Amino acid sequence: MGMSLVYNPFVWVYLISALALLITFVLSVAKKSRDYLWQIIQLMVMFWCIGFALQISCTDLKDMFFWYVIANDFVGMKVPCVLLLWSLVITGRNKLLCGYKVGLIFTLPVVTDILNITNHFHGLMYRKTWVENYNGNAVMRYELGYWYWVVTVYCCILLFVVSAMLINDALNRRLLYNRHGITISLVTM
């Protein structure tokens, strides 16, 4: 049996965002940009938007949960990791990017992937999920497990570090485009 989708007017927020990311990605590829980490971030956030568009359009809890976990947990929780790698590169801290350190940055999100796959045994990510009707739309609700908060705090710390690095280097005029660094750091927060 296939996935059952219904129209949800909020889907446009995600689809327009995904389209904007696709356009900027295509333009950066056309310009032969070698900023591969930034392009990866654009693709990841675009996939996150499409996943959430599908999630809010589904009518079945199983389908909603599938798209939520794929978009948010498997892809979305790795965006702060890639953003940290990108900010280390553009701020000239490349020597911090040796193999095992990159692996350490991704350790908690990968553990989260494993916990998501095995969640039905322990409930560390999501204790309970259900569907509620909100203004005529089916909305997935969930009771969060302990590990969800651990990985969320970790992602917030990474985003804070990214913002701090970009603001510091922008204010000290170490970035090629200081205003861009400050803008990205403010959007990150």
Side-chain angles (χ1 to χ4, degrees), residues 133-149:
N133 188 349
Y134 181 75
N135 289 337
N137 295 306
V139 177
M140 185 180 78
R141 303 291 307 226
Y142 38 83
E143 185 179 317
L144 301 172
Y146 296 118
W147 187 260
Y148 182 90
W149 295 110

Side-chain angles (χ1 to χ4, degrees), residues 128-188:
K128 180 178 152 185
T129 57
W130 66 95
V131 176
E132 287 183 1
N133 188 349
Y134 181 75
N135 289 337
N137 295 306
V139 177
M140 185 180 78
R141 303 291 307 226
Y142 38 83
E143 185 179 317
L144 301 172
Y146 296 118
W147 187 260
Y148 182 90
W149 295 110
V150 170
V151 74
T152 299
V153 167
Y154 175 71
C155 289
C156 289
I157 289 169
L158 291 182
L159 293 173
F160 176 78
V161 169
V162 167
S163 293
M165 272 195 306
L166 291 174
I167 289 172
N168 178 58
D169 284 17
L171 293 177
N172 291 316
R173 307 241 185 254
R174 286 187 240 153
L175 293 177
L176 183 58
Y177 301 105
N178 293 317
R179 289 187 187 140
H180 291 116
I182 291 174
T183 302
I184 291 171
S185 64
L186 292 175
V187 170
T188 300

Side-chain angles (χ1 to χ4, degrees), residues 4-107:
S4 175
L5 299 173
V6 295
Y7 176 72
N8 183 325
F10 297 108
V11 75
W12 293 109
V13 172
Y14 297 111
L15 293 179
I16 290 169
S17 299
L19 180 62
L21 286 162
L22 178 63
I23 290 168
T24 59
F25 172 77
V26 168
L27 288 174
S28 71
V29 170
K31 287 175 132 181
K32 298 184 187 318
S33 170
R34 292 177 36 204
D35 197 353
Y36 302 117
L37 288 172
W38 187 252
Q39 291 171 342
I40 290 169
I41 291 167
Q42 288 175 316
L43 289 175
M44 292 173 76
V45 176
M46 184 178 68
F47 182 82
W48 178 88
C49 291
I50 293 168
F52 266 86
L54 287 167
Q55 182 234 318
I56 66 170
S57 298
C58 289
T59 57
D60 180 62
L61 176 61
K62 186 176 179 181
D63 293 335
M64 286 178 176
F65 189 70
F66 171 79
W67 285 111
Y68 176 80
V69 169
I70 293 295
N72 190 62
D73 297 352
F74 284 106
V75 176
M77 289 193 176
K78 290 173 190 68
V79 170
C81 300
V82 179
L83 193 58
L84 177 64
L85 298 178
W86 173 79
S87 65
L88 288 169
V89 168
I90 67 157
T91 60
R93 296 174 174 93
N94 299 26
K95 58 187 166 211
L96 297 173
L97 294 175
C98 62
Y100 80 94
K101 290 180 183 176
V102 172
L104 286 175
I105 291 170
F106 284 93
T107 299

